[in-house]
Every structure is written in C-alpha cells, then in structure tokens.
Amino acid sequence: MRSLLAQGFMGSQRGRRKVALAMVATLGALLAGCGTALPTGDGRTSQHIDITLIGFNDLHGNLEPPRMAHTVQTAAGPVSVPAGGMAYFASAIAALKARGQHHAVVSAGDMVGASPLLSSLFLDEPTIEAVNAMQIDFNAVGNHEFDRGWRELLRLQHGGCEKFTARQPCQISQPFVGARFGFLAANTVRTEDGRTLLPATGIKRFTEGGVTVTLGVIGLTLQATPTMVSPSGVAGLRFEDEAATANALIPQLRAQGADVIAVVIHEGGGTTAGVQETSCAGLSGDIVPILERLDPAVDVVVSGHTHQAYVCDYGRVNPAKPFLLTSAGQYGTLLTDIQLRVDTRTRRVVHKAARNVIVQGEAFTGSQGHVPLTSAVPSFAADPQVQKVIDTYRAAAVPLAQRPVGQAAGALRRTPAPSLESALGNLVADAQLHATRAPEQGGAQLSLMNPGGLRADLVPDEQGLVRYGQLYAVQPFGNQLVVKTFTGAQIKAALEQQFASGSNTVQRPRVLLVSAGFSYRYDLTQPVGARISHMVLNGTPLHDDAQVRVVMSSYLDSGGDNFTVLAEGRDRVVGGLDLDALEAYFRAHSPVPVPATDRITRGAR
C-alpha cells in the first residue's frame, strides 16, 4: 500500500484519478472492518468499534487552490507540498471515509465569509453546494458566518432566494437548495425568547453486528463574535460562554445515548509544533482557558479560528482534562483524521489518535517559486462533482473578474508601517473620501478605514494593470459607505478606542487607516484617554468642538471592531458600496500612486 501512496501522482489528470481511486479501494480493502464490532470466528462479538472523525475549519470559500504550500520533513530534507482546492479536498475526505464504514465529518466554522470572488460574488452559495457534494455532517458556525447577518446565515442553511444583502442571491442556482448538513450554534441565543438561533447539538449513530455506538456533537461559536462582525448582523442575539454551554449540554447528549462527545468550536490557539507533528509544544491562545473549564467527559475538541494547524493530546498539559485537541489550519489545505476506538461494554472511548493530512492536489507557481507535486505525501484527484460546481461558477465569474479597472504605480500592500498604517489601507481611505466628498454624496472631510476590512494585497501585473477581481479580493464584504458628523472630541475618543476597547488593547492595537489631509500622533506610554494628540485636518489643528463629516464603512458605522464611538454621530447619509468607490478611484486616478505611510506618528510627544 505504501508504494501505491508514493507513486504515480505526477502524471495526467486521468492517470492521477485512477491512482487515487485505486488508493481508496486499497485503503478500504486493508482497513475496512479494522477494529469494528464484527462477529468473530467462534461466534463471539468483538469488544470495540472504531470511528473515523474527519475535521476541518476556516475553509473561507476557497473553492480553487489557494496557492499555499505546507512543509514536511523527509529523509532528504524539508519538502514543500502544494495544498488545497475543494475538488481535491472532496477526494481526500472520500479517501479517509473509505478506511472504514463508521465515519463523521465536522467543520469548526468560517466555512463561508471573507471568501475569494468565486464564492463571495455569489453569496457563498457555491461553497455550500460544493460541501453538499462532500456529504459532511455538521458545521459549527464561526464569526464569519455572520458577516452578512444572521438572516442570511439561516438562508444558507435552509435555502431559498430571499434577499438580505446588496448582492442578488440565486444568480446561478434557482432556487438555491441550502446546506444539506447541519449548522450548529449552541451558544448563539435569541434574546427575545432564549432559544438558540440554530440547533445546539447533532447526533450520529453507528450500528454493526447488533451493536450501536452514538456520537454526540456540540457546536459552538466564539463568544467574542459580536466584536468581530457588524453589530447589525447579530442584533437580537447574544453569545454565551463556550465552556458553560458545552458542559450544560453533556447530560442532555448522554440522555440521548451519546457514547462519544465531540465539541466542535470556532475558537482556537496555536503551538510551536510542525504541521504533521502531534505535539502540544508551546500551546497557547484563547482555547486554553475554555479547555481548562470543559467537562472531562468530552473526548475530542475540534477547533478553528486562528488558522493554525495542530494535533494535541491535552492530557499531557493537564491530566485531568484528557481531550484530543485538533485544528486543520485554513483554506482547505489540511484535513484532520481522528481515530476513536469505543469499548462496546463500557460505551466509552478507550483509544484516540489524530493526524493532519495535507490535501495535495496540483502544482502551482507563486511568490515562493514553483511548487511541484511531490511523492512525499499522497496526492488526490479532483472530485468530478465538486469540480463541476467550481467550473459552473467560474464561467460566470471570470469575465467580471478579468475586467481591467485601471493601473497602479506599484504594489499596494497591507504590511504595517511602524505607525501600524499601511499603503493599501491609506489608499482605500482616500478612495472612500473621494467617493463622498461632494455635498450631494455626504460632504465628507475625513475617512476612517478598519484594517480587518482589507482581505488581500493589491499587486498589479507587469504592465501595472489592476483587474476587478483583485479589487474584490481586497474588499469582499459589500459594505456601504456612511457619512456622519462628529465633533473633534468624538473623533479623538474613537481613536483612543484603538488601544482600549474590547479586544483592542495596547498589546494588540487596532489602528484605523486615515485619508490624506488628516494626521495625528499616538503615544502608548500615556494613560487611557491621553494617548492621542496633534490631530490636524487639512493644515488646521482639530479642536474638540470642531464639526467634521466623516465617512466609514457600514461595519464601522454600527460600532464594529469595538469602535462604539463611531456608532454615534449625526446627519447620517448612506452612500454606495465600498468596492464601487475603490473601482471609481482607480478609473479617476490611474496610474494610482502608492500612498506614503506618514499620516500617523507613533511615539512620545
């Protein structure tokens, strides 16, 4: 079998597909029934059942390969492995399922949201349709599932073409059928009646040889979700404590017959271990205090959110909490293969192990050079059903994505300067000011842009050309521009919130990008409320009683990213989409220069 895994993956698509199918058949023949509750030769029944639990997280609608590589260590040294692409991802899931007849597939959130154009342009319907073809079981919703609001999230679950966003649903599939797997959100509660927005738990039963073993799944969204999405998108909801919610549900699952308990949570951490190591080395992050409070009856915690890959026997960290903790990185480049052995007499897990599997599909050439396929790890053929979904939507998206919008004088990147502003952020702030400066458009004098709203760098081609798909990758959320009047004191208070509001701290500041003509200084050695100084607008010091028209995204307008002061203001005027403003700026100013990052000064006064 090992020789089969290592050979023949460099050839044609048809040849690779034959090899992958042979690999699935061989794995099934060698491993099917391994450890399952089958009758023995003397009529007795074996005393355990083996379950394969397959986990992933933070897919973010990456239908096409994300041009990423993982490094593995071989006898000849480190090797880069090209990874990702949902057609290959589907085949990798099928190969893991083929190892035995008892399996479940779970996702730990952010399946959709902050997606590339191919998915986002169609409101992530393509991703849901592709995942439907993979026949997974449950997705614990993450913060990005709320990017377009909870009503649109329910549409993705249940289907239909009701319009909740600026973009039109059901552009290709009419009607859109919705997810054929369960969305879970145990700690996301409607404030009006205390009911969960989506089911809290899921059950899957495995029966063979007269024995049934039941898997209970608890799905959790990180409690900090309201600080990461537009407040209007989660209005009427509250997000409760993750550990307390899970612990309260375990007796209910036991009452339903659950022998195995899996917590699938969109919260995570990181380790210093390699992608294929099974070590808790350097484990840290927000998942740790949750684990410390979690009931030890939990067998597995499938996590996400941090985009880090790890497999960790948490019992090595705290013997009283013997969970298996996993995360499969990001963008469909990895799958976690979790093996659980259940004793059919005690109805409890007696052995568990996991590994992260690299989803190797096709070679690519990127910023790191050419990354070829390698025999160091298995490759997977493209699943034809998922590939058909991708091809259908690509045909509709490519003409729009390739449309030229203008030129840039150089690469516009999100890389922060010492002041924590960026060239790309300053450009977007300038574009939003340009779109709303006219009195009939709101009369804006200053633009504020949140760095989290910039999802990709903007790099022109050799001729300096920039295309629409690139702009879309930068700003995929479809926010509207909003202009309001603020006093100088309110603007200062909002800037102070960059360092002292919710998750915005001195240690982890969230510095807003500002438009040309505005400047200020901040000093993190000063106390709360005294860190901002020297505010100047168009050459004039900005005093507390000044009246300034400020443009921002609808996300910031509703207090997103903990900027609650920006939910204030008066004389509100709602304009067009942020993406349209960026495109208009390129058409008016090409070749667009790379803005200097000198609008904000960091340091002592």
Side-chain angles (χ1 to χ4, degrees), residues 53 76 186-187 269 300 406 503 518 581:
L53 180 63
N187 61 327
V300 181
S503 57
F518 180 69

Side-chain angles (χ1 to χ4, degrees), residues 136-153:
I136 80 162
D137 296 287
F138 304 109
N139 173 53
V141 300
N143 54 289
H144 277 288
E145 269 92 349
F146 291 93
D147 280 345
R148 302 183 186 102
W150 62 264
R151 292 174 179 82
E152 175 65 4
L153 169 58

Side-chain angles (χ1 to χ4, degrees), residues 450-467:
N450 60 306
L454 306 171
R455 306 305 296 190
D457 293 336
L458 187 56
V459 181
D461 66 14
E462 295 81 0
Q463 289 74 44
L465 197 64
V466 172
R467 300 181 185 275

Side-chain angles (χ1 to χ4, degrees), residues 281-303:
L283 177 65
S284 63
D286 292 336
I287 193 66
V288 175
I290 296 173
L291 297 175
E292 285 296 310
R293 295 172 51 231
L294 202 58
D295 190 318
V298 173
D299 296 295
V300 181
V301 178
V302 179
S303 65

Side-chain angles (χ1 to χ4, degrees), residues 42-206:
D42 58 6
R44 293 179 294 108
T45 301
S46 62
Q47 297 174 341
H48 60 263
I49 290 179
D50 288 345
I51 300 169
T52 296
L53 180 63
I54 303 166
F56 65 94
N57 51 276
D58 296 278
L59 188 58
H60 285 290
N62 277 264
L63 292 157
E64 298 179 296
R67 304 170 73 81
M68 292 177 59
H70 288 294
T71 300
V72 298
Q73 298 297 326
T74 70
V79 174
S80 292
V81 183
M86 286 178 65
Y88 307 112
F89 191 76
S91 288
I93 288 177
L96 292 178
K97 286 181 178 180
R99 297 183 61 181
Q101 66 183 101
H102 306 306
H103 45 72
V105 186
V106 297
S107 161
D110 281 5
M111 179 181 290
V112 298
S115 308
L117 179 144
L118 185 57
S119 184
S120 182
L121 185 65
F122 304 101
L123 296 174
D124 285 317
E125 292 173 9
T127 294
I128 298 298
E129 292 175 1
V131 176
N132 281 345
M134 300 175 195
Q135 299 181 30
I136 80 162
D137 296 287
F138 304 109
N139 173 53
V141 300
N143 54 289
H144 277 288
E145 269 92 349
F146 291 93
D147 280 345
R148 302 183 186 102
W150 62 264
R151 292 174 179 82
E152 175 65 4
L153 169 58
L154 293 183
R155 189 187 73 86
L156 290 182
Q157 171 71 96
H158 302 303
C161 299
E162 190 170 358
K163 191 172 186 291
F164 299 110
T165 71
R167 297 192 178 97
Q168 185 65 41
C170 301
Q171 295 179 55
I172 304 298
S173 296
Q174 299 179 353
F176 168 63
V177 299
R180 293 185 176 133
F181 50 92
F183 285 4
L184 303 180
N187 61 327
T188 304
V189 178
R190 299 176 189 260
T191 55
E192 64 179 4
D193 57 14
R195 299 173 60 187
T196 56
L197 177 69
L198 290 156
T201 62
I203 289 284
K204 189 167 187 181
R205 304 185 192 277
F206 309 98

Side-chain angles (χ1 to χ4, degrees), residues 38 379 421 487 504:
L38 294 174
S379 288
E421 60 187 309
T487 65
N504 304 340

Side-chain angles (χ1 to χ4, degrees), residues 465-590:
L465 197 64
V466 172
R467 300 181 185 275
Y468 181 80
Q470 294 176 278
L471 300 189
Y472 196 101
V474 171
Q475 292 190 283
F477 295 114
N479 285 304
Q480 291 181 289
L481 298 183
V482 179
V483 183
K484 296 187 289 189
T485 297
F486 291 86
T487 65
Q490 286 176 307
I491 293 172
K492 181 179 179 182
L495 296 178
E496 289 280 354
Q497 288 189 313
Q498 297 173 127
F499 321 110
S501 181
S503 57
N504 304 340
T505 65
V506 169
Q507 293 75 29
R508 298 175 65 181
R510 184 179 275 114
V511 173
L512 297 170
L513 297 318
V514 302
S515 52
F518 180 69
S519 62
Y520 70 94
R521 179 187 296 271
Y522 69 86
D523 182 357
L524 296 181
T525 67
Q526 297 298 310
V528 174
R531 293 173 177 142
I532 302 298
S533 65
H534 296 82
M535 294 194 304
V536 176
L537 181 62
N538 298 325
T540 302
L542 190 61
H543 299 295
D544 285 353
D545 58 354
Q547 304 290 307
V548 182
R549 296 290 285 166
V550 182
V551 60
M552 65 197 71
S553 68
S554 51
Y555 174 72
L556 286 178
D557 167 62
S558 58
D561 279 349
N562 301 300
F563 289 102
T564 57
V565 173
L566 296 181
E568 301 171 9
R570 58 179 177 82
D571 301 328
R572 184 172 182 266
V573 175
V574 179
L577 296 178
D578 52 6
L579 180 62
D580 293 342
L582 186 58
E583 180 179 6
Y585 192 80
F586 266 86
R587 295 198 178 282
H589 293 87
S590 287

Side-chain angles (χ1 to χ4, degrees), residues 411-423:
L412 295 146
R413 300 191 184 277
R414 297 168 292 169
T415 307
S419 63
L420 300 183
E421 60 187 309
S422 69

